[in-house]
């Protein structure tokens, strides 16, 4: 299991490579953390990170990461690329990259709409402190594995 902030750093690093031309917002980062966690649970049967994901009005959120980047508001997060990034196993790296390729192309609003249509968020009471159960995520994402 990895530190959620290090996974967030990895997502930001991958998302801010020169060929993308833009930084991702906190909202988009939150949704990508959700998809990374969901597919990791489904594929490896273990969480990628220990922090809970909550069902907020605009979709899944990891509160500690949200608070870390809250100062950026709706703007892109300017990651200085000096933050610690975890080294994943080859299998984990492959899954991480596949999730980024699939979901990284969506906008923050597109990802929000997608999460709002999925059972883990829909079947959890909305609001701060309302945790999306890992077993709900694992079950849902198992059906999404190719």
């Amino acid at each position: 299991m990895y530190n959620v902030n290090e996974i967030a750093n990895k997502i930001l690093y991958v998302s801010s490579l020169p060929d993308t031309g833009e930084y991702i917002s906190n909202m988009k980062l939150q949704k990508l953390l959700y998809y990374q966690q969901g597919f990791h649970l489904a594929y490896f049967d273990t969480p990628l990170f220990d922090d809970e994901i909550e069902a907020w009005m605009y979709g899944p959120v990891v509160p500690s990461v949200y608070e870390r980047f809250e100062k950026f508001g709706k703007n892109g997060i300017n990651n200085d690329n000096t933050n610690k990034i975890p080294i994943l196993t080859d299998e984990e790296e492959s899954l991480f990259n596949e999730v980024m390729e699939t979901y990284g192309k969506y906008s923050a609003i597109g990802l929000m709409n997608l999460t709002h249509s999925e059972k883990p968020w829909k079947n959890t009471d909305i609001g701060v402190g309302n945790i999306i159960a890992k077993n709900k995520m694992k079950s849902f994402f198992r059906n999404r594995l190719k």
Side-chain angles (χ1 to χ4, degrees):
M1 199 169 342
Y2 301 93
N3 177 294
V4 70
N5 282 297
E6 292 177 8
I7 296 298
N9 293 342
K10 186 171 181 65
I11 291 170
L12 291 170
Y13 176 75
V14 169
S15 299
S16 65
L17 294 174
D19 61 334
T20 62
E22 62 183 50
Y23 297 114
I24 67 170
S25 66
N26 198 359
M27 180 188 263
K28 183 169 180 174
L29 174 61
Q30 297 302 319
K31 306 318 168 246
L32 291 172
L33 284 168
Y34 163 79
Y35 284 111
Q36 290 291 352
Q37 179 78 306
F39 280 107
H40 199 277
L41 283 163
Y43 191 81
F44 295 106
D45 205 30
T46 60
L48 179 61
F49 51 84
D50 196 34
D51 290 53
E52 300 292 355
I53 297 175
E54 296 181 2
W56 288 14
M57 181 175 22
Y58 297 109
V61 171
V62 178
S64 64
V65 177
Y66 176 83
E67 290 167 10
R68 178 180 166 204
F69 295 112
E70 188 174 21
K71 65 185 176 196
F72 290 97
K74 294 180 180 180
N75 299 317
I77 297 169
N78 185 357
N79 187 26
D80 63 11
N81 293 329
T82 62
N83 295 315
K84 187 172 180 185
I85 296 173
I87 297 172
L88 307 179
T89 67
D90 289 346
E91 243 185 330
E92 289 171 328
E93 187 73 31
S94 178
L95 180 63
F96 180 92
N97 290 334
E98 191 171 332
V99 170
M100 289 303 294
E101 286 172 22
T102 302
Y103 294 95
K105 62 187 171 195
Y106 287 91
S107 68
I109 299 298
L111 288 172
M112 179 192 75
N113 291 334
L114 201 55
T115 62
H116 283 196
S117 71
E118 297 170 346
K119 286 184 179 183
W121 183 85
K122 282 173 48 174
N123 294 342
T124 303
D125 289 338
I126 307 308
V128 174
N130 294 332
I131 295 168
I132 300 174
K134 287 181 176 81
N135 63 342
K136 284 184 187 177
M137 292 174 63
K138 184 182 350 181
S139 175
F140 176 79
F141 284 101
R142 275 225 170 106
N143 293 328
R144 294 274 171 114
L145 288 175
K146 294 178 183 176

